[in-house]
Amino acid sequence: MRQLEVLKKWVEESKSIVFFGGAGVSTESGIPDFRSVDGLYSQKFEYPPETIISHSFYLQKPEYFFRFYREKMLPLGFEPNVTHRVLAEWEKEGKLSAVVTQNIDGLHQKAGSKRVYELHGSVLRNYCTRCGKFYPAEFVKNCDGVPRCDCGGIVKPDVVLYEESLDQDTIEKSVSAIQNADMLIVGGTSLTVYPAAGLIHYYRGNRLVLINRDETPFDNQADLVFHESLGTVFSSL
């Protein structure tokens, strides 16, 4: 496969690869995504998932929010897959300068990646909204109803809900990494969710690689396109 040979050559030559990934990175670890046929958005709930994981719903119906969050959004006990592991290896070798991810599962760090910019936060970080005390994911998982701090405040996951803005510092670091990349690999994302998808516009190089099973709005702008699973491509690398 000629494309794969080109990709291998580019990886060998690169000194600052940035990987920008979405849900497709983690589905191969067994974590369901949102938009596929059997994803969250296709399941039947009393309210649309987009509504449940919005800031206003969290404020109005916290019990329902946390029940849904525990059942559907708290992926604990999953392991990194080949994509996570290869990226961590590249970072160790000095080839990869950063991972920018839309995922909230912490699997990149579990695989050994150090410089990970989590656009949508992480389920592994949870804070009391009153006093700021930190709690691990297990605390939220094992609570009944709304998780409460010793001080009585609600313990909220550090996850960006609908209607909430992304962390400015994380965006700035992601933009800087992408601007300075000599190669940008975008994988496992439909590139339809903004503002995250807009980050691709900051890449100035000529080695834009897209790996996604389905077509994306940016396919015609990419230098290499793979319409297959990340696992297939990364296993070959």
Side-chain angles (χ1 to χ4, degrees), residues 9-20:
K9 182 171 178 287
W10 286 2
V11 170
E12 281 168 22
E13 294 170 352
S14 293
K15 299 275 193 296
S16 62
I17 300 169
V18 168
F19 179 82
F20 175 39

Side-chain angles (χ1 to χ4, degrees), residues 54-188:
S54 67
H55 185 75
S56 50
F57 191 93
Y58 156 78
L59 293 177
Q60 290 158 11
K61 297 181 184 292
E63 290 87 0
Y64 195 104
F65 168 86
F66 276 104
R67 195 179 63 185
F68 177 88
Y69 176 79
R70 280 189 197 96
E71 286 180 19
K72 303 295 180 185
M73 293 184 64
L74 203 44
L76 301 180
F78 291 90
E79 293 302 321
N81 59 53
V82 64
T83 304
H84 298 108
R85 292 194 299 270
V86 169
L87 292 169
E89 195 57 42
W90 286 353
E91 186 183 44
K92 213 181 291 177
E93 292 169 3
K95 285 188 171 302
L96 183 106
S97 55
V99 168
V100 179
T101 181
Q102 295 170 276
N103 296 335
I104 56 176
D105 50 49
L107 288 183
H108 284 292
Q109 291 92 327
K110 200 170 183 179
S113 289
K114 301 280 186 276
R115 194 172 293 115
V116 182
Y117 300 130
E118 297 170 307
L119 295 172
H120 297 150
S122 171
V123 299
L124 303 181
R125 296 187 300 269
N126 303 272
Y127 299 98
C128 171
T129 51
R130 186 182 292 173
C131 73
K133 183 178 175 182
F134 173 87
Y135 285 88
E138 288 74 16
F139 176 83
V140 176
K141 181 86 173 170
N142 298 327
C143 273
D144 287 328
V146 180
R148 296 272 177 188
C149 175
D150 302 332
C151 76
I154 293 179
V155 176
K156 181 178 182 287
D158 187 12
V159 168
V160 180
L161 304 176
Y162 284 105
E163 304 164 353
E164 293 180 343
S165 53
L166 304 189
D167 178 70
Q168 198 53 41
D169 184 54
T170 304
I171 290 180
E172 285 170 12
K173 285 174 176 169
S174 300
V175 166
S176 175
I178 289 170
Q179 281 177 330
N180 292 303
D182 58 12
M183 177 172 167
L184 178 62
I185 302 176
V186 181

Side-chain angles (χ1 to χ4, degrees), residues 203-224:
Y203 179 59
R204 298 281 176 260
N206 58 359
R207 291 183 171 182
L208 173 59
V209 182
L210 293 189
I211 308 169
N212 198 52
R213 283 183 175 170
D214 304 316
E215 289 183 17
T216 79
F218 289 87
D219 280 14
N220 59 352
Q221 297 173 38
D223 302 291
L224 266 184

